Amino acid sequence: MKPAILGGTPIRNKLLPYAKQYVDDEDCFAVNEVLKSNFLTTGPKVKEFEEIIANYVSAKYAVSFSNGTAALHGACYAAGIKSGDEVITTPITFAASANCALYMGGTPVFADIDEETFNIDVNEIAMKITDKTKAIVPVDYTGQAVDIDAIKDLVKGTDIIVIEDGAHSLGTKYKGTRVGSLSDMTMFSFHPVKTITTGEGGIITTNNEEYYTKLINFRSHNITRDINQLENKNSGEWYYEQLDIGFNYRMTDFQAALGLSQMKKLNKFIARRKEIVNRYNEAFKELDGVILQKNAYFSDTVNHLYVLKLDLPKLKVDRKEIYNALIGENIGVHVHYIPVYWHPYYQRLGYKKGLCPKAEELYNTLLTVPLFPAMSDEDVEDVINGFNKIINYYRR
């Protein structure tokens, strides 16, 4: 069949986005109740949301933030990252995974990926560790857990801190245990396209009380009223002190109310995402011209993203033309991610292309496929039919 961009009939009449939030009347009611209450900014709903997330991932503590980037900034602060320190991460991620080191004066160091799972390669991390390495920020790309035990084995006996970027992986299990309690700190994001949403929002989970205290203070200007932390302990109830530089990174109570309502639907969201992924895997494993992301044995993955790698030697065109053709069919594909160090800002810092060849090769062949719980079975079949139509048309 002729692609729509060449005059054919599109698979769909309306664009199917690659992702979309699911918000229902229950969510709206929860937010509305807070809007009519005495608390709009950080209040009881924030504390309740933190507790439900901590309990869900079996962590002792959870500290919410205004967004996932702010949460990573807080984690780097709690880890004590400073000028001269190196922080190892993957280039196949959103820029925040590396920017968080820069915020503290540290230096991002990029380790290449595994060619099959697309997650950061533990052997590549090992080669990048130096006496300047202060932290590792492994990313659970698409929702698949990194091999956290192998990473922890690498840093055993050192002061290197593991800050897991779990922006994609709420609900994912690593060797039977939910992501969120296995690393020194773990960040989850609640952006609208993530597994649950608070509009914007993020959280750090940890079992370390020292990190917890630092995170609590950092998100609120590093100002405290806690008498145990005050230098002047003889003032009145009104008294507070700023202990260090901090930021206003607090979550609001109405965001937390939305998050609490969304958590009630989390199991349903997870089940639907898995249904869609299973259908995609079944369909696309037979499509000559695409390569599936391998799921490691240790990861019971809840996919935030579903990605396909184009087998370009089998196709007559490059990724851009396949992308445009699928958009023409009203299949809202996307690309996640441009290697971080390819961005102009990082290039000005001195990073050069060619640093992580496996990641760069993946980027040039990668497409993100629509995946969100509100997709109907018909939507899923449209995506499959759209890929079959375009890949078959452009196959050599």
Side-chain angles (χ1 to χ4, degrees):
M1 291 189 293
K2 186 183 293 185
I5 59 171
L6 298 179
T9 302
I11 290 289
R12 294 174 56 89
N13 294 323
K14 184 178 179 182
L15 182 69
L16 179 72
Y18 88 89
K20 184 182 178 182
Q21 70 271 19
Y22 180 98
V23 175
D24 61 15
D25 289 344
E26 183 183 25
D27 296 325
C28 295
F29 178 80
V31 172
N32 191 50
E33 286 298 289
V34 170
L35 292 174
K36 294 187 292 185
S37 76
N38 292 327
F39 289 91
L40 292 185
T41 56
T42 306
K45 291 297 181 183
V46 166
K47 184 65 176 174
E48 188 180 346
F49 181 61
E50 291 170 341
E51 288 174 352
I52 200 170
I53 294 293
N55 289 336
Y56 180 75
V57 302
S58 300
K60 289 183 179 178
Y61 308 105
V63 181
S64 61
F65 285 80
S66 52
N67 53 65
T69 301
L72 283 174
H73 188 184
C76 287
Y77 173 82
I81 292 167
K82 61 187 184 303
S83 179
D85 291 337
E86 295 179 348
V87 177
I88 299 172
T89 192
T90 173
I92 299 297
T93 184
F94 186 63
S97 308
N99 288 349
C100 59
L102 294 173
Y103 299 152
M104 297 303 303
T107 301
V109 173
F110 295 99
D112 214 342
I113 62 167
D114 180 274
E115 291 176 291
E116 295 186 323
T117 68
F118 311 157
N119 263 336
I120 193 168
D121 188 328
V122 177
N123 295 319
E124 294 285 337
I125 295 174
M127 290 190 288
K128 297 298 175 76
I129 291 175
T130 71
D131 57 3
K132 294 181 180 180
T133 305
K134 179 69 174 181
I136 300 170
V137 181
V139 177
D140 299 324
Y141 176 64
T142 71
Q144 181 176 186
V146 294
D147 192 350
I148 198 63
D149 282 349
I151 293 172
K152 287 162 71 174
D153 284 345
L154 275 184
V155 303
K156 189 178 296 183
T158 74
D159 295 327
I160 298 172
I161 296 165
V162 180
I163 303 169
E164 189 170 355
D165 184 336
H168 296 183
S169 60
L170 183 66
T172 290
K173 293 179 181 178
Y174 174 80
K175 297 182 179 178
T177 299
R178 286 194 183 113
V179 169
S181 65
L182 302 169
S183 300
D184 295 307
M185 289 177 271
T186 302
M187 184 277 288
F188 296 110
S189 168
F190 308 119
H191 181 274
V193 299
K194 298 303 195 299
T195 311
I196 67 165
T197 186
T198 58
E200 286 280 4
I203 208 163
I204 297 291
T205 57
T206 184
N207 293 319
N208 185 300
E209 186 176 7
E210 180 183 352
Y211 295 155
Y212 169 72
T213 300
K214 288 181 176 180
L215 290 162
I216 287 285
N217 289 342
F218 183 76
R219 74 170 180 191
S220 191
H221 304 280
N222 247 313
I223 287 174
T224 186
R225 298 176 185 270
D226 184 349
I227 193 168
N228 296 312
Q229 299 181 56
L230 298 177
E231 291 188 12
N232 183 352
K233 301 182 185 301
N234 298 316
S235 296
E237 290 185 6
W238 52 267
Y239 187 72
Y240 57 86
E241 291 176 351
Q242 181 178 335
L243 307 177
D244 197 356
I245 193 68
F247 293 80
N248 182 357
Y249 279 162
R250 297 186 297 269
M251 178 179 280
T252 66
D253 245 34
F254 53 87
Q255 284 176 291
L258 176 56
L260 286 164
S261 182
Q262 290 264 300
M263 283 296 290
K264 296 176 183 178
K265 294 180 276 287
L266 178 57
N267 288 339
K268 181 175 74 172
F269 291 163
I270 288 173
R272 182 56 180 157
R273 285 179 177 272
K274 287 192 170 188
E275 283 179 2
I276 297 169
V277 166
N278 288 338
R279 177 67 186 113
Y280 281 164
N281 286 342
E282 178 186 24
F284 291 136
K285 70 181 179 182
E286 304 297 336
L287 181 57
D288 192 26
V290 301
I291 299 169
L292 275 62
Q293 178 187 20
K294 180 181 177 181
N295 193 78
Y297 75 92
F298 49 73
S299 181
D300 179 359
T301 302
V302 178
N303 282 77
H304 154 56
L305 299 173
Y306 188 92
V307 298
L308 289 172
K309 181 178 178 181
L310 298 176
D311 195 351
L312 290 179
K314 294 182 178 180
L315 302 175
K316 293 182 283 188
V317 295
D318 63 13
R319 190 263 310 275
K320 183 178 179 180
E321 292 197 48
I322 298 292
Y323 174 96
N324 289 337
L326 286 163
I327 294 293
E329 302 299 326
N330 285 317
I331 306 299
V333 289
H334 209 308
V335 176
H336 295 86
Y337 293 94
I338 301 167
V340 175
Y341 59 80
W342 277 24
H343 292 300
Y345 177 74
Y346 278 82
Q347 293 284 294
R348 292 195 296 271
L349 291 177
Y351 294 87
K352 304 295 183 185
K353 292 185 177 182
L355 185 60
C356 296
K358 295 175 186 176
E360 294 180 22
E361 190 269 339
L362 176 67
Y363 164 66
N364 286 322
T365 60
L366 200 60
L367 283 176
T368 301
V369 180
L371 173 62
F372 54 95
M375 288 177 68
S376 67
D377 289 345
E378 291 76 15
D379 292 333
V380 174
E381 294 307 312
D382 283 346
V383 172
I384 293 167
N385 292 334
F387 265 86
N388 273 283
K389 175 181 177 180
I390 297 306
I391 296 299
N392 289 333
Y393 184 85
Y394 287 109
R395 190 182 297 113
R396 290 186 187 277

